PDB file of all heavy atoms in Angstrom:
ATOM      1  N   ILE A   1      75.836 104.102 100.201  1.00  0.00           N
ATOM      2  CA  ILE A   1      76.119 104.169  98.778  1.00  0.00           C
ATOM      3  C   ILE A   1      77.038 103.051  98.315  1.00  0.00           C
ATOM      4  O   ILE A   1      76.753 102.394  97.296  1.00  0.00           O
ATOM      5  CB  ILE A   1      76.756 105.536  98.489  1.00  0.00           C
ATOM      6  CG1 ILE A   1      75.839 106.702  98.791  1.00  0.00           C
ATOM      7  CG2 ILE A   1      77.142 105.591  96.953  1.00  0.00           C
ATOM      8  CD1 ILE A   1      76.528 108.061  98.781  1.00  0.00           C
ATOM      9  N   LEU A   2      78.075 102.766  99.066  1.00  0.00           N
ATOM     10  CA  LEU A   2      79.061 101.757  98.666  1.00  0.00           C
ATOM     11  C   LEU A   2      78.449 100.355  98.619  1.00  0.00           C
ATOM     12  O   LEU A   2      78.974  99.469  97.955  1.00  0.00           O
ATOM     13  CB  LEU A   2      80.236 101.746  99.585  1.00  0.00           C
ATOM     14  CG  LEU A   2      81.152 102.981  99.497  1.00  0.00           C
ATOM     15  CD1 LEU A   2      82.245 102.945 100.614  1.00  0.00           C
ATOM     16  CD2 LEU A   2      81.820 103.077  98.135  1.00  0.00           C
ATOM     17  N   SER A   3      77.317 100.189  99.320  1.00  0.00           N
ATOM     18  CA  SER A   3      76.705  98.867  99.327  1.00  0.00           C
ATOM     19  C   SER A   3      75.695  98.628  98.196  1.00  0.00           C
ATOM     20  O   SER A   3      75.225  97.496  97.984  1.00  0.00           O
ATOM     21  CB  SER A   3      75.920  98.676 100.695  1.00  0.00           C
ATOM     22  OG  SER A   3      74.725  99.473 100.700  1.00  0.00           O
ATOM     23  N   TRP A   4      75.453  99.672  97.400  1.00  0.00           N
ATOM     24  CA  TRP A   4      74.437  99.580  96.313  1.00  0.00           C
ATOM     25  C   TRP A   4      74.985  98.733  95.194  1.00  0.00           C
ATOM     26  O   TRP A   4      76.070  98.996  94.649  1.00  0.00           O
ATOM     27  CB  TRP A   4      74.034 100.953  95.779  1.00  0.00           C
ATOM     28  CG  TRP A   4      73.354 101.781  96.853  1.00  0.00           C
ATOM     29  CD1 TRP A   4      72.824 101.422  98.013  1.00  0.00           C
ATOM     30  CD2 TRP A   4      73.111 103.192  96.715  1.00  0.00           C
ATOM     31  NE1 TRP A   4      72.333 102.492  98.696  1.00  0.00           N
ATOM     32  CE2 TRP A   4      72.435 103.598  97.906  1.00  0.00           C
ATOM     33  CE3 TRP A   4      73.401 104.164  95.725  1.00  0.00           C
ATOM     34  CZ2 TRP A   4      72.072 104.920  98.103  1.00  0.00           C
ATOM     35  CZ3 TRP A   4      73.004 105.449  95.956  1.00  0.00           C
ATOM     36  CH2 TRP A   4      72.335 105.819  97.167  1.00  0.00           C
ATOM     37  N   SER A   5      74.230  97.774  94.715  1.00  0.00           N
ATOM     38  CA  SER A   5      74.641  96.932  93.567  1.00  0.00           C
ATOM     39  C   SER A   5      74.566  97.769  92.300  1.00  0.00           C
ATOM     40  O   SER A   5      75.202  97.393  91.295  1.00  0.00           O
ATOM     41  CB  SER A   5      73.787  95.704  93.470  1.00  0.00           C
ATOM     42  OG  SER A   5      72.406  96.031  93.332  1.00  0.00           O
ATOM     43  N   ASP A   6      73.699  98.817  92.305  1.00  0.00           N
ATOM     44  CA  ASP A   6      73.523  99.607  91.084  1.00  0.00           C
ATOM     45  C   ASP A   6      74.264 100.923  91.108  1.00  0.00           C
ATOM     46  O   ASP A   6      73.936 101.862  90.387  1.00  0.00           O
ATOM     47  CB  ASP A   6      72.034  99.876  90.782  1.00  0.00           C
ATOM     48  CG  ASP A   6      71.382 100.733  91.889  1.00  0.00           C
ATOM     49  OD1 ASP A   6      71.970 100.815  92.989  1.00  0.00           O
ATOM     50  OD2 ASP A   6      70.343 101.326  91.672  1.00  0.00           O
ATOM     51  N   ARG A   7      75.237 101.034  92.061  1.00  0.00           N
ATOM     52  CA  ARG A   7      75.941 102.313  92.205  1.00  0.00           C
ATOM     53  C   ARG A   7      76.580 102.695  90.918  1.00  0.00           C
ATOM     54  O   ARG A   7      77.315 101.873  90.249  1.00  0.00           O
ATOM     55  CB  ARG A   7      76.982 102.210  93.333  1.00  0.00           C
ATOM     56  CG  ARG A   7      77.821 103.517  93.484  1.00  0.00           C
ATOM     57  CD  ARG A   7      78.573 103.490  94.755  1.00  0.00           C
ATOM     58  NE  ARG A   7      79.597 102.439  94.835  1.00  0.00           N
ATOM     59  CZ  ARG A   7      80.803 102.541  94.354  1.00  0.00           C
ATOM     60  NH1 ARG A   7      81.209 103.667  93.740  1.00  0.00           N
ATOM     61  NH2 ARG A   7      81.653 101.562  94.478  1.00  0.00           N
ATOM     62  N   PHE A   8      76.491 103.944  90.491  1.00  0.00           N
ATOM     63  CA  PHE A   8      77.079 104.493  89.332  1.00  0.00           C
ATOM     64  C   PHE A   8      78.603 104.498  89.507  1.00  0.00           C
ATOM     65  O   PHE A   8      79.085 104.998  90.489  1.00  0.00           O
ATOM     66  CB  PHE A   8      76.609 105.895  89.046  1.00  0.00           C
ATOM     67  CG  PHE A   8      77.151 106.465  87.734  1.00  0.00           C
ATOM     68  CD1 PHE A   8      76.574 106.178  86.503  1.00  0.00           C
ATOM     69  CD2 PHE A   8      78.284 107.352  87.767  1.00  0.00           C
ATOM     70  CE1 PHE A   8      77.107 106.728  85.357  1.00  0.00           C
ATOM     71  CE2 PHE A   8      78.843 107.856  86.603  1.00  0.00           C
ATOM     72  CZ  PHE A   8      78.216 107.558  85.401  1.00  0.00           C
ATOM     73  N   LEU A   9      79.312 103.930  88.571  1.00  0.00           N
ATOM     74  CA  LEU A   9      80.776 103.887  88.599  1.00  0.00           C
ATOM     75  C   LEU A   9      81.334 104.815  87.554  1.00  0.00           C
ATOM     76  O   LEU A   9      80.928 104.778  86.398  1.00  0.00           O
ATOM     77  CB  LEU A   9      81.261 102.475  88.338  1.00  0.00           C
ATOM     78  CG  LEU A   9      80.864 101.382  89.367  1.00  0.00           C
ATOM     79  CD1 LEU A   9      81.385 100.048  88.880  1.00  0.00           C
ATOM     80  CD2 LEU A   9      81.428 101.744  90.748  1.00  0.00           C
ATOM     81  N   THR A  10      82.274 105.637  87.952  1.00  0.00           N
ATOM     82  CA  THR A  10      82.967 106.494  86.972  1.00  0.00           C
ATOM     83  C   THR A  10      83.949 105.680  86.190  1.00  0.00           C
ATOM     84  O   THR A  10      84.277 104.504  86.479  1.00  0.00           O
ATOM     85  CB  THR A  10      83.731 107.591  87.716  1.00  0.00           C
ATOM     86  OG1 THR A  10      84.800 107.012  88.490  1.00  0.00           O
ATOM     87  CG2 THR A  10      82.830 108.387  88.662  1.00  0.00           C
ATOM     88  N   ARG A  11      84.368 106.282  85.093  1.00  0.00           N
ATOM     89  CA  ARG A  11      85.416 105.631  84.242  1.00  0.00           C
ATOM     90  C   ARG A  11      86.638 105.337  85.063  1.00  0.00           C
ATOM     91  O   ARG A  11      87.265 104.304  84.892  1.00  0.00           O
ATOM     92  CB  ARG A  11      85.753 106.615  83.049  1.00  0.00           C
ATOM     93  CG  ARG A  11      86.718 106.007  82.112  1.00  0.00           C
ATOM     94  CD  ARG A  11      87.115 107.029  81.039  1.00  0.00           C
ATOM     95  NE  ARG A  11      85.932 107.572  80.382  1.00  0.00           N
ATOM     96  CZ  ARG A  11      85.559 108.880  80.452  1.00  0.00           C
ATOM     97  NH1 ARG A  11      86.267 109.754  81.150  1.00  0.00           N
ATOM     98  NH2 ARG A  11      84.463 109.252  79.831  1.00  0.00           N
ATOM     99  N   GLU A  12      87.040 106.295  85.950  1.00  0.00           N
ATOM    100  CA  GLU A  12      88.232 106.087  86.747  1.00  0.00           C
ATOM    101  C   GLU A  12      88.066 104.949  87.674  1.00  0.00           C
ATOM    102  O   GLU A  12      89.017 104.125  87.897  1.00  0.00           O
ATOM    103  CB  GLU A  12      88.508 107.393  87.515  1.00  0.00           C
ATOM    104  CG  GLU A  12      88.927 108.565  86.662  1.00  0.00           C
ATOM    105  CD  GLU A  12      87.719 109.312  85.958  1.00  0.00           C
ATOM    106  OE1 GLU A  12      86.571 108.947  86.260  1.00  0.00           O
ATOM    107  OE2 GLU A  12      88.021 110.183  85.183  1.00  0.00           O
ATOM    108  N   GLU A  13      86.871 104.825  88.329  1.00  0.00           N
ATOM    109  CA  GLU A  13      86.685 103.649  89.205  1.00  0.00           C
ATOM    110  C   GLU A  13      86.740 102.350  88.422  1.00  0.00           C
ATOM    111  O   GLU A  13      87.330 101.374  88.929  1.00  0.00           O
ATOM    112  CB  GLU A  13      85.269 103.787  89.840  1.00  0.00           C
ATOM    113  CG  GLU A  13      85.126 104.775  90.962  1.00  0.00           C
ATOM    114  CD  GLU A  13      83.722 104.772  91.515  1.00  0.00           C
ATOM    115  OE1 GLU A  13      82.853 105.446  90.871  1.00  0.00           O
ATOM    116  OE2 GLU A  13      83.517 104.187  92.555  1.00  0.00           O
ATOM    117  N   GLN A  14      86.152 102.321  87.295  1.00  0.00           N
ATOM    118  CA  GLN A  14      86.162 101.094  86.512  1.00  0.00           C
ATOM    119  C   GLN A  14      87.545 100.652  86.105  1.00  0.00           C
ATOM    120  O   GLN A  14      87.848  99.449  86.104  1.00  0.00           O
ATOM    121  CB  GLN A  14      85.249 101.246  85.251  1.00  0.00           C
ATOM    122  CG  GLN A  14      83.807 101.386  85.592  1.00  0.00           C
ATOM    123  CD  GLN A  14      82.919 101.691  84.377  1.00  0.00           C
ATOM    124  OE1 GLN A  14      83.370 102.315  83.427  1.00  0.00           O
ATOM    125  NE2 GLN A  14      81.650 101.264  84.434  1.00  0.00           N
ATOM    126  N   LEU A  15      88.382 101.650  85.710  1.00  0.00           N
ATOM    127  CA  LEU A  15      89.769 101.351  85.365  1.00  0.00           C
ATOM    128  C   LEU A  15      90.561 100.762  86.516  1.00  0.00           C
ATOM    129  O   LEU A  15      91.283  99.797  86.434  1.00  0.00           O
ATOM    130  CB  LEU A  15      90.471 102.604  84.788  1.00  0.00           C
ATOM    131  CG  LEU A  15      89.992 103.036  83.369  1.00  0.00           C
ATOM    132  CD1 LEU A  15      90.601 104.428  83.024  1.00  0.00           C
ATOM    133  CD2 LEU A  15      90.421 101.998  82.324  1.00  0.00           C
ATOM    134  N   VAL A  16      90.364 101.399  87.712  1.00  0.00           N
ATOM    135  CA  VAL A  16      91.116 100.898  88.829  1.00  0.00           C
ATOM    136  C   VAL A  16      90.621  99.526  89.259  1.00  0.00           C
ATOM    137  O   VAL A  16      91.349  98.679  89.662  1.00  0.00           O
ATOM    138  CB  VAL A  16      90.973 101.902  90.018  1.00  0.00           C
ATOM    139  CG1 VAL A  16      91.518 101.338  91.355  1.00  0.00           C
ATOM    140  CG2 VAL A  16      91.738 103.223  89.682  1.00  0.00           C
ATOM    141  N   ALA A  17      89.287  99.314  89.200  1.00  0.00           N
ATOM    142  CA  ALA A  17      88.714  98.036  89.652  1.00  0.00           C
ATOM    143  C   ALA A  17      89.109  96.909  88.706  1.00  0.00           C
ATOM    144  O   ALA A  17      89.298  95.749  89.198  1.00  0.00           O
ATOM    145  CB  ALA A  17      87.162  98.187  89.696  1.00  0.00           C
ATOM    146  N   SER A  18      89.265  97.183  87.447  1.00  0.00           N
ATOM    147  CA  SER A  18      89.502  96.121  86.511  1.00  0.00           C
ATOM    148  C   SER A  18      90.930  95.902  86.073  1.00  0.00           C
ATOM    149  O   SER A  18      91.359  94.902  85.561  1.00  0.00           O
ATOM    150  CB  SER A  18      88.661  96.334  85.233  1.00  0.00           C
ATOM    151  OG  SER A  18      89.060  97.538  84.583  1.00  0.00           O
ATOM    152  N   GLY A  19      91.757  96.962  86.343  1.00  0.00           N
ATOM    153  CA  GLY A  19      93.104  96.912  85.868  1.00  0.00           C
ATOM    154  C   GLY A  19      94.109  96.381  86.858  1.00  0.00           C
ATOM    155  O   GLY A  19      93.870  96.422  88.128  1.00  0.00           O
ATOM    156  N   THR A  20      95.153  95.815  86.360  1.00  0.00           N
ATOM    157  CA  THR A  20      96.314  95.345  87.226  1.00  0.00           C
ATOM    158  C   THR A  20      97.546  96.185  87.056  1.00  0.00           C
ATOM    159  O   THR A  20      98.567  95.966  87.691  1.00  0.00           O
ATOM    160  CB  THR A  20      96.614  93.906  86.933  1.00  0.00           C
ATOM    161  OG1 THR A  20      96.952  93.751  85.530  1.00  0.00           O
ATOM    162  CG2 THR A  20      95.424  92.993  87.272  1.00  0.00           C
ATOM    163  N   ASP A  21      97.470  97.187  86.161  1.00  0.00           N
ATOM    164  CA  ASP A  21      98.585  98.037  85.879  1.00  0.00           C
ATOM    165  C   ASP A  21      98.733  99.098  86.972  1.00  0.00           C
ATOM    166  O   ASP A  21      97.885  99.999  87.115  1.00  0.00           O
ATOM    167  CB  ASP A  21      98.344  98.754  84.503  1.00  0.00           C
ATOM    168  CG  ASP A  21      99.558  99.541  84.077  1.00  0.00           C
ATOM    169  OD1 ASP A  21     100.416  99.892  84.915  1.00  0.00           O
ATOM    170  OD2 ASP A  21      99.651  99.846  82.830  1.00  0.00           O
ATOM    171  N   LEU A  22      99.775  99.037  87.786  1.00  0.00           N
ATOM    172  CA  LEU A  22     100.000  99.902  88.918  1.00  0.00           C
ATOM    173  C   LEU A  22     100.172 101.341  88.410  1.00  0.00           C
ATOM    174  O   LEU A  22      99.741 102.295  89.071  1.00  0.00           O
ATOM    175  CB  LEU A  22     101.195  99.485  89.741  1.00  0.00           C
ATOM    176  CG  LEU A  22     101.053  98.195  90.465  1.00  0.00           C
ATOM    177  CD1 LEU A  22     102.348  97.888  91.214  1.00  0.00           C
ATOM    178  CD2 LEU A  22      99.895  98.230  91.391  1.00  0.00           C
ATOM    179  N   ALA A  23     100.782 101.574  87.288  1.00  0.00           N
ATOM    180  CA  ALA A  23     100.960 102.912  86.759  1.00  0.00           C
ATOM    181  C   ALA A  23      99.575 103.520  86.412  1.00  0.00           C
ATOM    182  O   ALA A  23      99.313 104.687  86.656  1.00  0.00           O
ATOM    183  CB  ALA A  23     101.861 102.884  85.499  1.00  0.00           C
ATOM    184  N   GLN A  24      98.732 102.673  85.868  1.00  0.00           N
ATOM    185  CA  GLN A  24      97.369 103.174  85.549  1.00  0.00           C
ATOM    186  C   GLN A  24      96.604 103.524  86.820  1.00  0.00           C
ATOM    187  O   GLN A  24      95.877 104.440  86.928  1.00  0.00           O
ATOM    188  CB  GLN A  24      96.596 102.100  84.773  1.00  0.00           C
ATOM    189  CG  GLN A  24      95.210 102.598  84.250  1.00  0.00           C
ATOM    190  CD  GLN A  24      94.537 101.490  83.429  1.00  0.00           C
ATOM    191  OE1 GLN A  24      94.076 100.496  84.012  1.00  0.00           O
ATOM    192  NE2 GLN A  24      94.364 101.741  82.154  1.00  0.00           N
ATOM    193  N   HIS A  25      96.740 102.665  87.859  1.00  0.00           N
ATOM    194  CA  HIS A  25      96.149 102.885  89.130  1.00  0.00           C
ATOM    195  C   HIS A  25      96.621 104.225  89.721  1.00  0.00           C
ATOM    196  O   HIS A  25      95.771 105.049  90.171  1.00  0.00           O
ATOM    197  CB  HIS A  25      96.518 101.773  90.115  1.00  0.00           C
ATOM    198  CG  HIS A  25      95.885 101.878  91.465  1.00  0.00           C
ATOM    199  ND1 HIS A  25      96.322 102.788  92.403  1.00  0.00           N
ATOM    200  CD2 HIS A  25      94.894 101.202  92.044  1.00  0.00           C
ATOM    201  CE1 HIS A  25      95.618 102.650  93.507  1.00  0.00           C
ATOM    202  NE2 HIS A  25      94.683 101.698  93.308  1.00  0.00           N
ATOM    203  N   ALA A  26      97.873 104.468  89.628  1.00  0.00           N
ATOM    204  CA  ALA A  26      98.461 105.738  90.173  1.00  0.00           C
ATOM    205  C   ALA A  26      97.863 106.946  89.386  1.00  0.00           C
ATOM    206  O   ALA A  26      97.522 107.942  90.002  1.00  0.00           O
ATOM    207  CB  ALA A  26      99.940 105.744  90.048  1.00  0.00           C
ATOM    208  N   ASP A  27      97.769 106.785  88.106  1.00  0.00           N
ATOM    209  CA  ASP A  27      97.238 107.857  87.241  1.00  0.00           C
ATOM    210  C   ASP A  27      95.794 108.195  87.599  1.00  0.00           C
ATOM    211  O   ASP A  27      95.441 109.391  87.618  1.00  0.00           O
ATOM    212  CB  ASP A  27      97.382 107.496  85.732  1.00  0.00           C
ATOM    213  CG  ASP A  27      97.013 108.638  84.868  1.00  0.00           C
ATOM    214  OD1 ASP A  27      97.562 109.766  85.074  1.00  0.00           O
ATOM    215  OD2 ASP A  27      96.184 108.439  83.933  1.00  0.00           O
ATOM    216  N   GLN A  28      94.988 107.164  87.851  1.00  0.00           N
ATOM    217  CA  GLN A  28      93.553 107.444  88.129  1.00  0.00           C
ATOM    218  C   GLN A  28      93.373 107.905  89.569  1.00  0.00           C
ATOM    219  O   GLN A  28      92.585 108.862  89.784  1.00  0.00           O
ATOM    220  CB  GLN A  28      92.756 106.174  87.853  1.00  0.00           C
ATOM    221  CG  GLN A  28      92.891 105.628  86.471  1.00  0.00           C
ATOM    222  CD  GLN A  28      92.521 106.602  85.381  1.00  0.00           C
ATOM    223  OE1 GLN A  28      91.562 107.385  85.615  1.00  0.00           O
ATOM    224  NE2 GLN A  28      93.203 106.654  84.293  1.00  0.00           N
ATOM    225  N   TYR A  29      93.937 107.223  90.538  1.00  0.00           N
ATOM    226  CA  TYR A  29      93.662 107.625  91.921  1.00  0.00           C
ATOM    227  C   TYR A  29      94.529 108.823  92.324  1.00  0.00           C
ATOM    228  O   TYR A  29      94.018 109.754  92.958  1.00  0.00           O
ATOM    229  CB  TYR A  29      93.896 106.460  92.869  1.00  0.00           C
ATOM    230  CG  TYR A  29      93.732 106.901  94.323  1.00  0.00           C
ATOM    231  CD1 TYR A  29      92.487 107.200  94.783  1.00  0.00           C
ATOM    232  CD2 TYR A  29      94.841 106.975  95.183  1.00  0.00           C
ATOM    233  CE1 TYR A  29      92.285 107.618  96.117  1.00  0.00           C
ATOM    234  CE2 TYR A  29      94.658 107.384  96.501  1.00  0.00           C
ATOM    235  CZ  TYR A  29      93.409 107.702  96.928  1.00  0.00           C
ATOM    236  OH  TYR A  29      93.193 108.155  98.263  1.00  0.00           O
ATOM    237  N   TYR A  30      95.796 108.825  92.020  1.00  0.00           N
ATOM    238  CA  TYR A  30      96.724 109.841  92.480  1.00  0.00           C
ATOM    239  C   TYR A  30      96.757 111.097  91.601  1.00  0.00           C
ATOM    240  O   TYR A  30      97.318 112.090  91.964  1.00  0.00           O
ATOM    241  CB  TYR A  30      98.129 109.278  92.670  1.00  0.00           C
ATOM    242  CG  TYR A  30      98.265 108.341  93.805  1.00  0.00           C
ATOM    243  CD1 TYR A  30      98.381 106.973  93.593  1.00  0.00           C
ATOM    244  CD2 TYR A  30      98.261 108.777  95.109  1.00  0.00           C
ATOM    245  CE1 TYR A  30      98.437 106.072  94.619  1.00  0.00           C
ATOM    246  CE2 TYR A  30      98.324 107.925  96.168  1.00  0.00           C
ATOM    247  CZ  TYR A  30      98.436 106.593  95.909  1.00  0.00           C
ATOM    248  OH  TYR A  30      98.505 105.701  96.945  1.00  0.00           O
ATOM    249  N   ARG A  31      96.024 111.056  90.438  1.00  0.00           N
ATOM    250  CA  ARG A  31      95.831 112.261  89.652  1.00  0.00           C
ATOM    251  C   ARG A  31      97.145 113.000  89.436  1.00  0.00           C
ATOM    252  O   ARG A  31      97.269 114.213  89.737  1.00  0.00           O
ATOM    253  CB  ARG A  31      94.771 113.167  90.294  1.00  0.00           C
ATOM    254  CG  ARG A  31      93.397 112.493  90.311  1.00  0.00           C
ATOM    255  CD  ARG A  31      92.361 113.428  90.946  1.00  0.00           C
ATOM    256  NE  ARG A  31      92.155 114.627  90.159  1.00  0.00           N
ATOM    257  CZ  ARG A  31      91.325 114.697  89.110  1.00  0.00           C
ATOM    258  NH1 ARG A  31      90.664 113.650  88.694  1.00  0.00           N
ATOM    259  NH2 ARG A  31      91.228 115.872  88.460  1.00  0.00           N
ATOM    260  N   CYS A  32      98.122 112.268  88.918  1.00  0.00           N
ATOM    261  CA  CYS A  32      99.443 112.863  88.821  1.00  0.00           C
ATOM    262  C   CYS A  32      99.569 113.960  87.768  1.00  0.00           C
ATOM    263  O   CYS A  32     100.652 114.653  87.679  1.00  0.00           O
ATOM    264  CB  CYS A  32     100.499 111.765  88.515  1.00  0.00           C
ATOM    265  SG  CYS A  32     100.717 110.696  89.869  1.00  0.00           S
ATOM    266  N   ASP A  33      98.493 114.193  87.010  1.00  0.00           N
ATOM    267  CA  ASP A  33      98.500 115.342  86.093  1.00  0.00           C
ATOM    268  C   ASP A  33      98.254 116.679  86.823  1.00  0.00           C
ATOM    269  O   ASP A  33      98.435 117.752  86.272  1.00  0.00           O
ATOM    270  CB  ASP A  33      97.560 115.173  84.967  1.00  0.00           C
ATOM    271  CG  ASP A  33      96.095 114.946  85.496  1.00  0.00           C
ATOM    272  OD1 ASP A  33      95.917 114.537  86.619  1.00  0.00           O
ATOM    273  OD2 ASP A  33      95.124 115.195  84.718  1.00  0.00           O
ATOM    274  N   ASP A  34      97.768 116.593  88.045  1.00  0.00           N
ATOM    275  CA  ASP A  34      97.584 117.784  88.915  1.00  0.00           C
ATOM    276  C   ASP A  34      98.906 118.034  89.676  1.00  0.00           C
ATOM    277  O   ASP A  34      99.401 117.188  90.352  1.00  0.00           O
ATOM    278  CB  ASP A  34      96.431 117.503  89.916  1.00  0.00           C
ATOM    279  CG  ASP A  34      96.164 118.707  90.797  1.00  0.00           C
ATOM    280  OD1 ASP A  34      96.975 118.988  91.687  1.00  0.00           O
ATOM    281  OD2 ASP A  34      95.083 119.330  90.626  1.00  0.00           O
ATOM    282  N   PRO A  35      99.430 119.313  89.627  1.00  0.00           N
ATOM    283  CA  PRO A  35     100.721 119.598  90.198  1.00  0.00           C
ATOM    284  C   PRO A  35     100.747 119.277  91.693  1.00  0.00           C
ATOM    285  O   PRO A  35     101.739 118.722  92.175  1.00  0.00           O
ATOM    286  CB  PRO A  35     100.915 121.076  89.920  1.00  0.00           C
ATOM    287  CG  PRO A  35     100.054 121.373  88.701  1.00  0.00           C
ATOM    288  CD  PRO A  35      98.890 120.471  88.849  1.00  0.00           C
ATOM    289  N   LEU A  36      99.753 119.657  92.451  1.00  0.00           N
ATOM    290  CA  LEU A  36      99.748 119.451  93.905  1.00  0.00           C
ATOM    291  C   LEU A  36      99.647 117.940  94.193  1.00  0.00           C
ATOM    292  O   LEU A  36     100.380 117.408  95.056  1.00  0.00           O
ATOM    293  CB  LEU A  36      98.594 120.149  94.606  1.00  0.00           C
ATOM    294  CG  LEU A  36      98.733 121.661  94.744  1.00  0.00           C
ATOM    295  CD1 LEU A  36      97.521 122.278  95.340  1.00  0.00           C
ATOM    296  CD2 LEU A  36      99.933 121.981  95.605  1.00  0.00           C
ATOM    297  N   CYS A  37      98.757 117.249  93.464  1.00  0.00           N
ATOM    298  CA  CYS A  37      98.643 115.808  93.702  1.00  0.00           C
ATOM    299  C   CYS A  37      99.941 115.069  93.322  1.00  0.00           C
ATOM    300  O   CYS A  37     100.371 114.118  93.988  1.00  0.00           O
ATOM    301  CB  CYS A  37      97.469 115.249  92.858  1.00  0.00           C
ATOM    302  SG  CYS A  37      95.836 115.715  93.525  1.00  0.00           S
ATOM    303  N   SER A  38     100.560 115.501  92.274  1.00  0.00           N
ATOM    304  CA  SER A  38     101.821 114.870  91.787  1.00  0.00           C
ATOM    305  C   SER A  38     102.919 115.092  92.853  1.00  0.00           C
ATOM    306  O   SER A  38     103.617 114.145  93.148  1.00  0.00           O
ATOM    307  CB  SER A  38     102.272 115.530  90.459  1.00  0.00           C
ATOM    308  OG  SER A  38     103.501 114.965  90.050  1.00  0.00           O
TER     309      SER A  38
END
């Protein structure tokens, strides 16, 4: 799947892939709005 050029990307993936803001990266990958993840 990861090798597919046409792989569907979620909004969260696109933000992490294109952004340089570490806080935004943390928010998308670490899901800090979830109590356990936080």
Side-chain angles (χ1 to χ4, degrees):
I1 298 168
L2 290 173
S3 71
W4 296 347
S5 60
D6 65 341
R7 177 167 64 86
F8 182 83
L9 297 177
T10 66
R11 182 185 307 116
E12 292 80 6
E13 285 181 280
Q14 291 175 332
L15 287 170
V16 171
S18 62
T20 57
D21 186 338
L22 293 179
Q24 186 180 68
H25 182 285
D27 185 51
Q28 302 304 322
Y29 176 69
Y30 289 105
R31 295 180 63 84
C32 292
D33 57 338
D34 180 289
L36 284 176
C37 289
S38 178

